[in-house]
Amino acid sequence: MLYLIAFAGAAVIAFLLWKAMTGDHADVPRGTSEPRSAGTPRRPRPTGPDDDPDFLRNLDETLRRKDDPPSSDD
């Protein structure tokens, strides 16, 4: 009987810990404890330089300038 009570107590504690860790945190931005206001739009952010279109465009232009030899009008 003692094992049954211990098992039920452990199950309740595990359930409460699970709910505390995986609660509904979808409206809370990472690194903050404050929920995002409904009027604040969520804008996508590049995760790294290789995902940033402006960085890739500038890199491509820089590489093209280095590959193109200067024109000589002698």
Side-chain angles (χ1 to χ4, degrees):
M1 185 68 177
L2 183 61
Y3 290 117
L4 184 61
I5 293 171
F7 179 74
V12 169
I13 291 172
F15 177 75
L16 292 175
L17 286 174
W18 175 67
K19 286 302 257 183
M21 296 295 180
T22 62
D24 186 23
H25 299 292
D27 59 343
V28 179
R30 282 189 183 170
T32 65
S33 60
E34 301 172 3
R36 181 185 307 272
S37 65
T40 306
R42 183 177 292 188
R43 61 182 177 126
R45 293 185 348 189
T47 57
D50 56 339
D51 293 334
D52 187 4
D54 293 330
F55 174 79
L56 294 174
R57 188 178 313 111
N58 289 339
L59 183 62
D60 189 43
E61 290 173 2
T62 303
L63 290 175
R64 285 185 185 177
R65 277 191 230 123
K66 286 183 179 180
D67 288 342
D68 293 338
S71 60
S72 57
D73 295 331
D74 288 322

